[in-house]
Amino acid sequence: MCTAATYKTKDFYFGRTLDYEFSYGDQIAITPRNYPLHFRHAGDMENHYAIIGMAHVAGDYPLYYDAINEKGVGMAGLNFVGNAAYADVWSGVDNIAQFEFIPWILSQCSSIVEVRKLLGQINIVNTPFSEQFPLAQLHWIISDEKESITVESMADGMHIYDNPLGVLTNNPPFPQQMFQLNNYMHLSPKQPENNFGNGIELNAYSRGMGALGLPGDLSSSSRFVRVAFTKVNSFSGESEEESVSQFFHILGSVDQQRGCCEVSDGKYEITLYTSCCNATKGIYYYNTYENHQISAVDMHREDLESQKLICYPVIQGEKINFQN
């Protein structure tokens, strides 16, 4: 499963974990402004905003998991199994296949205000990429530095929700994820006060007891609460190093370790990678389960007027710095 979050210091940061039992073979893919985008039902787009993100590239087409564009808008698709549903092709609207949704939005929107307008004329359709890549059941978080929204395409239509936390996990649907926070309004980063009863002397015997009750399991509901609490109470300096480091610590609160989530006999879901995008500067940071060193790709160091897709392999293998 997955967790996505936003973070704001001097710059705006957007990223996610991707938790699964295997990788499809991922790359950091940059779609330059003049790389032609071919949409199954909406025609071709020859010129657009540049995009950078993590993708599986199939037939020279980037199937983005998460990405940002050069204008500072970020978007990620997270598993929404059992709830996601896509429509047939309709007339009079922009029919966008599920796998095209991220490039369709990021190629032409410079803010969430523009995203909302575009969503007003979109129909997310059930056209698969290929027989090898059937429809993924997803919902999406879309954010800029001012606001976030969640988009869910379900059997009763498409829902667009304000996302004041800038956080998303998987199931249940987003309104239920938000509602469950009511159960945790007592949590605090401060030490608790004794409200148990008059005349009963109780002591906080450990630091961190204000967060007693914060869920620690790996379910999507619990990860939502945990990363929301971590994010809203996070503090760092405004430098790039401090901000990026803190963002990885925020998502590290929901990291999944091999062996703790068995999905079938001998197969375990793990955090395959964690991303942190400086959406203000167009830099894609990431680390992986096997490589905790933070690596980065800066889209503005590339020729963004190019007509060719630019790809970088994901660096694997732990990097250990011996000091003696």
Coordinates of all heavy atoms in Angstrom, one line a residue, residues 109-200:
C109 N -1.7 22.1 -15.9 CA -2.2 22.8 -14.7 C -1.1 23.4 -13.9 O -0.1 22.7 -13.6 CB -3.1 21.9 -13.8 SG -4.6 21.4 -14.6
S110 N -1.2 24.7 -13.6 CA -0.1 25.4 -12.9 C -0.5 25.6 -11.4 O 0.2 26.2 -10.7 CB 0.3 26.7 -13.5 OG -0.8 27.6 -13.6
S111 N -1.7 25.2 -11.1 CA -2.2 25.4 -9.7 C -3.4 24.5 -9.5 O -4.0 24.0 -10.4 CB -2.7 26.9 -9.5 OG -3.8 27.2 -10.3
I112 N -3.8 24.4 -8.2 CA -5.0 23.6 -7.9 C -6.2 24.3 -8.4 O -7.2 23.6 -8.7 CB -5.1 23.3 -6.4 CG1 -3.9 22.4 -5.9 CG2 -6.4 22.6 -6.0 CD1 -3.8 21.1 -6.6
V113 N -6.2 25.6 -8.5 CA -7.4 26.3 -9.1 C -7.6 25.8 -10.5 O -8.7 25.6 -10.9 CB -7.1 27.8 -9.0 CG1 -8.2 28.6 -9.8 CG2 -7.0 28.3 -7.6
E114 N -6.5 25.7 -11.3 CA -6.7 25.2 -12.6 C -7.0 23.7 -12.7 O -7.8 23.3 -13.6 CB -5.4 25.5 -13.4 CG -5.1 26.9 -13.6 CD -3.8 27.2 -14.4 OE1 -3.2 26.2 -14.9 OE2 -3.5 28.4 -14.6
V115 N -6.5 22.9 -11.7 CA -6.9 21.5 -11.6 C -8.4 21.4 -11.4 O -9.0 20.5 -12.1 CB -6.1 20.8 -10.5 CG1 -6.6 19.4 -10.3 CG2 -4.6 20.8 -10.8
R116 N -8.9 22.1 -10.5 CA -10.4 22.0 -10.3 C -11.2 22.3 -11.6 O -12.2 21.6 -11.8 CB -10.8 23.0 -9.2 CG -10.3 22.7 -7.8 CD -10.8 23.7 -6.8 NE -10.2 23.5 -5.5 CZ -10.6 22.7 -4.5 NH1 -11.7 22.0 -4.8 NH2 -10.1 22.7 -3.3
K117 N -10.8 23.3 -12.3 CA -11.5 23.6 -13.6 C -11.4 22.5 -14.5 O -12.4 22.1 -15.2 CB -10.9 24.9 -14.2 CG -11.2 26.2 -13.4 CD -10.6 27.4 -14.0 CE -10.8 28.7 -13.2 NZ -10.2 29.8 -13.8
L118 N -10.2 21.9 -14.7 CA -10.0 20.8 -15.6 C -10.8 19.6 -15.2 O -11.4 18.8 -16.0 CB -8.5 20.4 -15.7 CG -8.1 19.7 -17.0 CD1 -8.3 20.6 -18.2 CD2 -6.6 19.4 -16.9
L119 N -10.9 19.3 -13.9 CA -11.7 18.2 -13.4 C -13.1 18.3 -13.6 O -13.9 17.3 -13.7 CB -11.4 18.0 -11.9 CG -10.0 17.5 -11.4 CD1 -9.9 17.6 -9.9 CD2 -9.7 16.1 -12.0
G120 N -13.6 19.5 -13.8 CA -15.0 19.8 -14.1 C -15.5 19.2 -15.5 O -16.7 19.1 -15.7
Q121 N -14.5 18.9 -16.3 CA -14.9 18.4 -17.7 C -14.2 17.1 -18.0 O -14.1 16.7 -19.2 CB -14.4 19.5 -18.7 CG -13.0 19.8 -18.7 CD -12.6 21.0 -19.6 OE1 -13.3 22.1 -19.4 NE2 -11.6 20.9 -20.4
I122 N -13.8 16.3 -17.0 CA -13.1 15.1 -17.2 C -13.9 13.9 -16.8 O -14.8 13.9 -15.9 CB -11.8 15.1 -16.4 CG1 -10.8 14.0 -16.9 CG2 -12.0 15.0 -14.9 CD1 -9.5 14.0 -16.2
N123 N -13.7 12.8 -17.6 CA -14.3 11.5 -17.3 C -13.1 10.5 -17.3 O -12.5 10.3 -18.3 CB -15.3 11.2 -18.4 CG -15.9 9.8 -18.2 OD1 -16.2 9.4 -17.0 ND2 -16.2 9.1 -19.3
I124 N -12.9 9.9 -16.1 CA -11.8 8.9 -16.0 C -12.4 7.6 -16.5 O -13.3 7.0 -15.9 CB -11.3 8.8 -14.6 CG1 -10.8 10.2 -14.1 CG2 -10.1 7.8 -14.5 CD1 -10.3 10.2 -12.6
V125 N -11.8 7.0 -17.6 CA -12.4 5.9 -18.2 C -11.6 4.6 -18.0 O -10.4 4.6 -17.6 CB -12.5 6.2 -19.7 CG1 -13.4 7.4 -20.0 CG2 -11.2 6.3 -20.4
N126 N -12.2 3.5 -18.3 CA -11.7 2.2 -18.0 C -10.9 1.6 -19.1 O -10.9 0.3 -19.3 CB -12.9 1.3 -17.6 CG -14.0 1.2 -18.7 OD1 -13.8 1.7 -19.8 ND2 -15.2 0.7 -18.3
T127 N -10.2 2.4 -19.9 CA -9.4 1.9 -20.9 C -8.0 1.4 -20.3 O -7.3 2.3 -19.8 CB -9.1 2.9 -22.0 OG1 -10.4 3.4 -22.5 CG2 -8.3 2.4 -23.1
P128 N -7.6 0.2 -20.4 CA -6.3 -0.2 -19.9 C -5.2 0.2 -20.8 O -5.4 0.4 -22.0 CB -6.4 -1.8 -19.8 CG -7.4 -2.1 -20.9 CD -8.4 -1.0 -21.0
F129 N -4.0 0.3 -20.2 CA -2.8 0.6 -21.0 C -2.5 -0.5 -22.0 O -2.2 -0.3 -23.2 CB -1.6 0.8 -20.1 CG -0.3 1.1 -20.9 CD1 -0.1 2.4 -21.4 CD2 0.7 0.2 -21.1 CE1 1.0 2.7 -22.1 CE2 1.8 0.5 -21.8 CZ 2.0 1.7 -22.3
S130 N -2.6 -1.8 -21.6 CA -2.4 -3.0 -22.4 C -2.8 -4.2 -21.7 O -3.2 -4.1 -20.5 CB -0.9 -3.1 -22.7 OG -0.1 -3.4 -21.6
E131 N -2.8 -5.3 -22.3 CA -3.1 -6.6 -21.7 C -2.2 -6.9 -20.5 O -2.6 -7.5 -19.5 CB -3.1 -7.7 -22.7 CG -4.2 -7.7 -23.7 CD -4.2 -8.9 -24.6 OE1 -3.4 -9.8 -24.5 OE2 -5.1 -8.9 -25.5
Q132 N -0.9 -6.5 -20.7 CA 0.1 -6.7 -19.6 C -0.1 -5.8 -18.4 O 0.3 -6.1 -17.3 CB 1.5 -6.6 -20.2 CG 1.9 -7.6 -21.2 CD 1.3 -7.5 -22.5 OE1 1.0 -6.4 -22.9 NE2 1.0 -8.6 -23.2
F133 N -0.7 -4.6 -18.7 CA -0.9 -3.6 -17.6 C -2.4 -3.3 -17.5 O -2.9 -2.3 -18.1 CB -0.1 -2.4 -17.9 CG 1.4 -2.6 -17.8 CD1 2.1 -2.8 -19.0 CD2 2.1 -2.7 -16.6 CE1 3.5 -3.1 -19.0 CE2 3.4 -3.0 -16.6 CZ 4.1 -3.1 -17.8
P134 N -3.2 -4.1 -16.8 CA -4.6 -3.8 -16.7 C -4.8 -2.6 -15.8 O -3.9 -2.0 -15.2 CB -5.2 -5.1 -16.0 CG -4.0 -5.7 -15.3 CD -2.8 -5.3 -16.1
L135 N -6.1 -2.3 -15.6 CA -6.4 -1.1 -14.8 C -6.0 -1.2 -13.4 O -6.2 -2.2 -12.7 CB -8.0 -0.9 -14.8 CG -8.6 -0.4 -16.2 CD1 -10.1 -0.6 -16.1 CD2 -8.2 1.0 -16.5
A136 N -5.3 -0.2 -12.9 CA -5.0 -0.1 -11.4 C -6.1 0.6 -10.7 O -6.7 1.5 -11.2 CB -3.7 0.6 -11.3
Q137 N -6.4 0.1 -9.5 CA -7.5 0.7 -8.7 C -6.9 1.7 -7.8 O -6.2 1.4 -6.8 CB -8.2 -0.4 -7.9 CG -8.9 -1.4 -8.8 CD -9.8 -2.4 -7.9 OE1 -10.7 -2.0 -7.2 NE2 -9.4 -3.6 -8.0
L138 N -7.1 3.0 -8.2 CA -6.3 4.1 -7.5 C -7.3 5.2 -7.1 O -8.4 5.4 -7.6 CB -5.3 4.7 -8.5 CG -4.3 3.8 -9.1 CD1 -3.4 4.6 -10.1 CD2 -3.4 3.1 -8.0
H139 N -6.8 6.0 -6.1 CA -7.3 7.4 -5.9 C -6.1 8.3 -5.9 O -5.0 7.8 -5.8 CB -8.3 7.5 -4.8 CG -7.7 7.2 -3.4 ND1 -8.4 7.4 -2.3 CD2 -6.5 6.6 -3.0 CE1 -7.7 7.0 -1.2 NE2 -6.5 6.5 -1.7
W140 N -6.3 9.6 -5.9 CA -5.2 10.5 -6.1 C -5.2 11.7 -5.1 O -6.2 12.2 -4.8 CB -5.2 11.1 -7.6 CG -5.0 10.1 -8.6 CD1 -3.9 9.7 -9.2 CD2 -6.1 9.3 -9.2 NE1 -4.1 8.7 -10.2 CE2 -5.4 8.4 -10.2 CE3 -7.5 9.2 -9.1 CZ2 -6.1 7.5 -11.0 CZ3 -8.2 8.3 -9.8 CH2 -7.5 7.5 -10.8
I141 N -4.0 12.1 -4.8 CA -3.8 13.4 -4.1 C -3.1 14.3 -5.1 O -2.2 14.0 -5.8 CB -3.0 13.2 -2.8 CG1 -2.8 14.6 -2.1 CG2 -1.7 12.5 -3.0 CD1 -2.2 14.5 -0.7
I142 N -3.6 15.6 -5.2 CA -3.1 16.6 -6.0 C -2.9 17.8 -5.2 O -3.8 18.3 -4.5 CB -4.0 16.9 -7.2 CG1 -4.5 15.6 -7.9 CG2 -3.2 17.7 -8.3 CD1 -5.6 15.8 -9.0
S143 N -1.7 18.4 -5.3 CA -1.3 19.5 -4.3 C -0.5 20.6 -5.0 O 0.3 20.3 -5.9 CB -0.6 19.0 -3.1 OG -1.2 17.9 -2.5
D144 N -0.6 21.8 -4.6 CA 0.4 22.8 -4.8 C 0.7 23.4 -3.4 O 0.3 22.9 -2.4 CB -0.1 23.9 -5.8 CG -1.3 24.7 -5.3 OD1 -1.7 24.6 -4.1 OD2 -2.0 25.4 -6.2
E145 N 1.5 24.5 -3.4 CA 1.9 25.0 -2.1 C 0.8 25.6 -1.3 O 0.9 25.8 -0.1 CB 3.0 26.1 -2.3 CG 2.6 27.3 -3.0 CD 3.7 28.3 -3.0 OE1 4.8 28.1 -2.4 OE2 3.5 29.4 -3.7
K146 N -0.4 25.9 -1.9 CA -1.5 26.5 -1.2 C -2.6 25.6 -0.7 O -3.3 25.8 0.3 CB -2.1 27.6 -2.1 CG -1.2 28.8 -2.4 CD -1.9 29.8 -3.2 CE -0.9 31.0 -3.5 NZ -1.6 32.0 -4.3
E147 N -2.8 24.5 -1.4 CA -3.9 23.6 -1.1 C -3.7 22.2 -1.7 O -2.9 22.0 -2.6 CB -5.2 24.1 -1.5 CG -5.4 24.4 -3.0 CD -6.7 24.9 -3.4 OE1 -7.8 24.5 -2.8 OE2 -6.8 25.8 -4.3
S148 N -4.4 21.2 -1.1 CA -4.4 19.9 -1.6 C -5.9 19.4 -1.8 O -6.8 19.8 -1.1 CB -3.7 18.9 -0.7 OG -2.4 19.2 -0.5
I149 N -6.1 18.5 -2.8 CA -7.4 17.9 -3.0 C -7.1 16.4 -3.2 O -6.1 15.9 -3.5 CB -8.1 18.4 -4.2 CG1 -7.3 18.2 -5.5 CG2 -8.5 19.9 -4.0 CD1 -8.1 18.6 -6.8
T150 N -8.2 15.6 -2.9 CA -8.2 14.2 -3.1 C -9.3 13.9 -4.2 O -10.4 14.4 -4.1 CB -8.5 13.4 -1.9 OG1 -7.5 13.6 -0.9 CG2 -8.7 11.9 -2.1
V151 N -8.9 13.0 -5.2 CA -9.9 12.7 -6.2 C -10.1 11.2 -6.2 O -9.2 10.4 -6.2 CB -9.3 13.1 -7.6 CG1 -10.3 12.6 -8.7 CG2 -9.0 14.6 -7.7
E152 N -11.4 10.8 -6.1 CA -11.8 9.4 -6.1 C -12.8 9.1 -7.1 O -13.9 9.8 -7.1 CB -12.3 9.0 -4.7 CG -11.2 9.2 -3.6 CD -11.7 8.8 -2.2 OE1 -12.9 8.8 -1.9 OE2 -10.8 8.6 -1.4
S153 N -12.6 8.2 -8.0 CA -13.5 7.8 -9.0 C -14.1 6.5 -8.6 O -13.4 5.5 -8.5 CB -12.8 7.6 -10.4 OG -13.7 7.2 -11.4
M154 N -15.4 6.5 -8.3 CA -16.1 5.4 -7.7 C -17.3 5.0 -8.5 O -17.6 5.7 -9.5 CB -16.5 5.7 -6.2 CG -15.3 6.0 -5.4 SD -15.7 6.5 -3.7 CE -16.3 5.0 -3.0
A155 N -18.0 4.0 -8.1 CA -19.2 3.5 -8.9 C -20.3 4.6 -9.0 O -21.0 4.6 -10.0 CB -19.8 2.3 -8.2
D156 N -20.4 5.5 -8.0 CA -21.4 6.5 -8.0 C -20.9 7.8 -8.6 O -21.5 8.9 -8.5 CB -22.0 6.8 -6.6 CG -20.9 7.2 -5.6 OD1 -19.7 7.1 -5.9 OD2 -21.3 7.6 -4.5
G157 N -19.7 7.8 -9.2 CA -19.2 9.0 -9.9 C -17.8 9.4 -9.3 O -17.2 8.8 -8.5
M158 N -17.4 10.6 -9.8 CA -16.1 11.1 -9.4 C -16.3 12.1 -8.2 O -17.2 13.0 -8.3 CB -15.4 11.8 -10.5 CG -14.0 12.3 -10.1 SD -13.0 12.8 -11.5 CE -13.8 14.4 -12.0
H159 N -15.5 12.0 -7.2 CA -15.6 12.8 -6.0 C -14.3 13.6 -5.8 O -13.2 13.1 -6.0 CB -15.9 12.0 -4.7 CG -17.0 11.1 -4.8 ND1 -18.3 11.5 -4.5 CD2 -17.2 9.8 -5.2 CE1 -19.2 10.5 -4.7 NE2 -18.5 9.5 -5.1
I160 N -14.5 14.9 -5.5 CA -13.3 15.8 -5.3 C -13.4 16.4 -3.9 O -14.4 17.1 -3.6 CB -13.3 16.9 -6.4 CG1 -13.2 16.3 -7.8 CG2 -12.0 17.8 -6.2 CD1 -13.5 17.3 -8.9
Y161 N -12.5 16.1 -3.1 CA -12.5 16.6 -1.7 C -11.4 17.5 -1.4 O -10.2 17.3 -1.8 CB -12.4 15.4 -0.8 CG -13.4 14.3 -0.9 CD1 -13.1 13.1 -1.6 CD2 -14.7 14.5 -0.5 CE1 -14.1 12.1 -1.7 CE2 -15.7 13.5 -0.6 CZ -15.4 12.3 -1.3 OH -16.3 11.3 -1.4
D162 N -11.7 18.6 -0.7 CA -10.6 19.4 -0.1 C -9.8 18.5 0.9 O -10.4 17.7 1.6 CB -11.2 20.6 0.7 CG -11.8 21.6 -0.2 OD1 -11.4 21.7 -1.4 OD2 -12.7 22.3 0.3
N163 N -8.5 18.6 0.8 CA -7.6 17.8 1.7 C -6.8 18.7 2.6 O -5.7 19.1 2.2 CB -6.8 16.9 0.9 CG -5.9 15.9 1.7 OD1 -5.6 16.1 2.9 ND2 -5.6 14.7 1.1
P164 N -7.3 19.2 3.7 CA -6.6 20.2 4.5 C -5.3 19.7 5.1 O -4.5 20.5 5.5 CB -7.7 20.6 5.6 CG -8.5 19.4 5.7 CD -8.6 18.8 4.3
L165 N -5.2 18.4 5.3 CA -4.0 17.8 5.8 C -2.9 17.7 4.8 O -1.7 17.7 5.2 CB -4.3 16.4 6.4 CG -5.0 16.4 7.8 CD1 -5.3 15.0 8.1 CD2 -4.0 17.0 8.9
G166 N -3.2 17.5 3.6 CA -2.2 17.2 2.6 C -1.6 15.8 2.8 O -0.4 15.6 2.6
V167 N -2.5 14.8 3.2 CA -2.1 13.5 3.5 C -3.1 12.5 2.9 O -4.3 12.8 2.8 CB -2.0 13.2 5.0 CG1 -1.8 11.8 5.4 CG2 -0.9 14.0 5.7
L168 N -2.6 11.4 2.4 CA -3.5 10.4 1.8 C -2.8 9.0 2.0 O -1.6 8.8 1.8 CB -3.8 10.6 0.4 CG -4.8 9.7 -0.3 CD1 -6.2 9.9 0.3 CD2 -4.9 9.9 -1.8
T169 N -3.7 8.0 2.3 CA -3.2 6.6 2.3 C -4.1 5.8 1.3 O -4.4 6.3 0.3 CB -3.1 6.0 3.7 OG1 -4.4 6.0 4.3 CG2 -2.1 6.7 4.6
N170 N -4.6 4.7 1.7 CA -5.4 3.9 0.8 C -6.9 3.8 1.2 O -7.5 4.9 1.2 CB -4.8 2.5 0.7 CG -3.3 2.5 0.5 OD1 -2.5 2.3 1.4 ND2 -2.9 2.9 -0.7
N171 N -7.4 2.7 1.6 CA -8.7 2.6 2.1 C -8.8 3.0 3.6 O -7.9 2.9 4.3 CB -9.3 1.2 1.9 CG -9.6 0.9 0.5 OD1 -10.2 1.7 -0.2 ND2 -9.1 -0.2 0.0
P172 N -10.0 3.5 4.0 CA -11.3 3.6 3.3 C -11.3 4.9 2.5 O -10.3 5.6 2.4 CB -12.3 3.7 4.5 CG -11.6 4.4 5.6 CD -10.1 3.8 5.4
P173 N -12.5 5.2 1.9 CA -12.6 6.5 1.1 C -12.2 7.7 2.0 O -12.3 7.6 3.3 CB -14.1 6.6 0.7 CG -14.5 5.1 0.6 CD -13.7 4.4 1.7
F174 N -11.8 8.8 1.4 CA -11.1 9.9 2.1 C -12.0 10.5 3.2 O -11.5 10.8 4.3 CB -10.7 11.0 1.1 CG -10.0 12.1 1.7 CD1 -8.7 11.9 2.2 CD2 -10.6 13.3 1.8 CE1 -8.1 13.0 2.9 CE2 -10.0 14.4 2.4 CZ -8.7 14.2 3.0
P175 N -13.3 10.7 3.0 CA -14.1 11.3 4.1 C -14.0 10.4 5.4 O -14.0 10.9 6.5 CB -15.5 11.3 3.6 CG -15.3 11.4 2.1 CD -14.1 10.5 1.8
Q176 N -14.0 9.1 5.2 CA -13.8 8.2 6.4 C -12.4 8.3 7.0 O -12.3 8.2 8.2 CB -14.2 6.8 6.0 CG -15.7 6.6 5.6 CD -15.9 5.3 5.0 OE1 -16.1 5.2 3.8 NE2 -15.8 4.2 5.8
Q177 N -11.4 8.5 6.2 CA -10.1 8.6 6.7 C -10.0 9.9 7.6 O -9.5 9.9 8.7 CB -9.1 8.8 5.6 CG -8.9 7.5 4.8 CD -7.6 7.5 3.9 OE1 -6.7 8.3 4.2 NE2 -7.6 6.7 2.9
M178 N -10.6 11.0 7.1 CA -10.6 12.2 7.9 C -11.5 12.1 9.2 O -11.1 12.6 10.2 CB -11.2 13.4 7.0 CG -10.2 13.8 6.0 SD -8.7 14.6 6.6 CE -9.4 16.1 7.5
F179 N -12.6 11.4 9.1 CA -13.5 11.3 10.2 C -12.8 10.6 11.4 O -13.0 10.9 12.6 CB -14.8 10.6 9.8 CG -15.8 10.5 11.0 CD1 -16.6 11.5 11.3 CD2 -15.9 9.3 11.7 CE1 -17.5 11.4 12.4 CE2 -16.7 9.2 12.8 CZ -17.6 10.3 13.1
Q180 N -12.0 9.6 11.1 CA -11.4 8.8 12.2 C -10.5 9.6 13.0 O -10.2 9.2 14.1 CB -10.7 7.5 11.6 CG -9.5 7.9 10.8 CD -8.7 6.6 10.4 OE1 -8.7 5.6 11.1 NE2 -8.1 6.7 9.2
L181 N -10.0 10.8 12.5 CA -9.1 11.6 13.3 C -9.8 12.1 14.6 O -9.2 12.5 15.5 CB -8.6 12.8 12.5 CG -7.7 12.5 11.3 CD1 -7.3 13.7 10.6 CD2 -6.5 11.7 11.8
N182 N -11.2 12.1 14.6 CA -11.9 12.5 15.8 C -11.6 11.6 16.9 O -11.7 12.1 18.1 CB -13.4 12.5 15.5 CG -13.9 13.5 14.6 OD1 -13.8 14.7 14.9 ND2 -14.4 13.1 13.4
N183 N -11.2 10.4 16.7 CA -10.8 9.5 17.8 C -9.5 9.8 18.4 O -9.2 9.2 19.5 CB -10.8 8.0 17.2 CG -12.1 7.6 16.7 OD1 -13.2 7.9 17.2 ND2 -12.1 6.7 15.7
Y184 N -8.7 10.7 17.8 CA -7.4 10.9 18.3 C -7.1 12.4 18.6 O -6.0 12.9 18.7 CB -6.4 10.5 17.2 CG -6.5 9.0 16.9 CD1 -7.3 8.6 15.8 CD2 -5.9 8.1 17.7 CE1 -7.4 7.3 15.5 CE2 -6.0 6.7 17.4 CZ -6.8 6.3 16.3 OH -6.9 5.0 16.0
M185 N -8.2 13.2 18.9 CA -8.0 14.6 19.2 C -7.3 14.8 20.5 O -6.8 16.0 20.7 CB -9.4 15.3 19.1 CG -10.3 14.9 20.3 SD -11.9 15.9 20.3 CE -12.7 15.3 18.8
H186 N -7.2 13.8 21.3 CA -6.5 14.0 22.6 C -5.0 13.9 22.4 O -4.2 14.2 23.4 CB -6.9 12.9 23.6 CG -6.6 11.5 23.1 ND1 -7.3 10.8 22.1 CD2 -5.6 10.7 23.5 CE1 -6.8 9.7 21.9 NE2 -5.7 9.5 22.7
L187 N -4.5 13.5 21.3 CA -3.0 13.3 21.1 C -2.3 14.6 21.1 O -2.9 15.6 20.6 CB -2.7 12.6 19.8 CG -3.2 11.1 19.6 CD1 -2.8 10.5 18.3 CD2 -2.8 10.3 20.8
S188 N -1.1 14.7 21.6 CA -0.4 15.9 21.7 C 1.1 15.6 21.7 O 1.5 14.5 22.2 CB -0.7 16.7 22.9 OG 0.2 17.8 23.2
P189 N 2.0 16.5 21.1 CA 3.4 16.3 21.3 C 3.9 16.7 22.7 O 5.0 16.4 23.0 CB 4.0 17.2 20.2 CG 3.0 18.3 20.1 CD 1.6 17.6 20.3
K190 N 3.0 17.3 23.5 CA 3.4 17.7 24.8 C 3.1 16.6 25.8 O 2.4 15.7 25.5 CB 2.6 19.0 25.2 CG 2.8 20.2 24.3 CD 2.0 21.4 24.8 CE 2.2 22.6 23.8 NZ 3.6 23.0 23.7
Q191 N 3.7 16.7 27.0 CA 3.5 15.7 28.0 C 2.0 15.9 28.5 O 1.5 17.0 28.6 CB 4.4 15.9 29.2 CG 5.9 15.5 28.9 CD 6.0 14.0 28.6 OE1 5.7 13.5 27.5 NE2 6.3 13.2 29.7
P192 N 1.4 14.7 28.8 CA 0.0 14.8 29.2 C -0.2 15.4 30.6 O 0.7 15.3 31.5 CB -0.5 13.3 29.2 CG 0.8 12.6 29.5 CD 1.9 13.4 28.8
E193 N -1.4 16.0 30.9 CA -1.8 16.4 32.2 C -2.7 15.3 32.8 O -3.3 14.5 32.1 CB -2.6 17.7 32.1 CG -1.8 18.9 31.6 CD -2.6 20.2 31.6 OE1 -3.8 20.1 32.0 OE2 -2.1 21.2 31.1
N194 N -2.6 15.2 34.1 CA -3.4 14.2 34.8 C -4.9 14.7 35.0 O -5.2 15.6 35.8 CB -2.8 14.0 36.2 CG -3.6 13.0 37.0 OD1 -4.5 12.3 36.5 ND2 -3.3 12.9 38.3
N195 N -5.7 14.2 34.2 CA -7.2 14.5 34.2 C -8.0 13.2 34.6 O -9.2 13.2 34.5 CB -7.7 15.0 32.9 CG -7.0 16.3 32.5 OD1 -7.0 17.2 33.3 ND2 -6.5 16.4 31.3
F196 N -7.3 12.2 35.1 CA -7.9 10.9 35.4 C -9.0 11.0 36.5 O -10.1 10.5 36.3 CB -6.9 9.9 35.8 CG -7.3 8.5 35.9 CD1 -7.3 7.7 34.7 CD2 -7.8 8.0 37.1 CE1 -7.8 6.4 34.8 CE2 -8.3 6.7 37.1 CZ -8.3 5.9 36.0
G197 N -8.7 11.7 37.5 CA -9.7 11.9 38.6 C -9.0 12.6 39.8 O -7.8 12.6 40.0
N198 N -9.9 13.3 40.6 CA -9.4 14.1 41.7 C -8.8 13.2 42.8 O -9.3 12.1 43.1 CB -10.6 14.9 42.3 CG -11.0 16.0 41.4 OD1 -10.3 16.5 40.6 ND2 -12.3 16.3 41.5
G199 N -7.7 13.6 43.3 CA -7.0 12.9 44.4 C -6.2 11.7 44.0 O -5.7 11.0 44.9
I200 N -6.1 11.5 42.7 CA -5.3 10.3 42.3 C -4.0 10.9 41.7 O -4.0 11.6 40.7 CB -6.0 9.5 41.2 CG1 -7.3 8.9 41.8 CG2 -5.1 8.4 40.7 CD1 -8.2 8.2 40.8

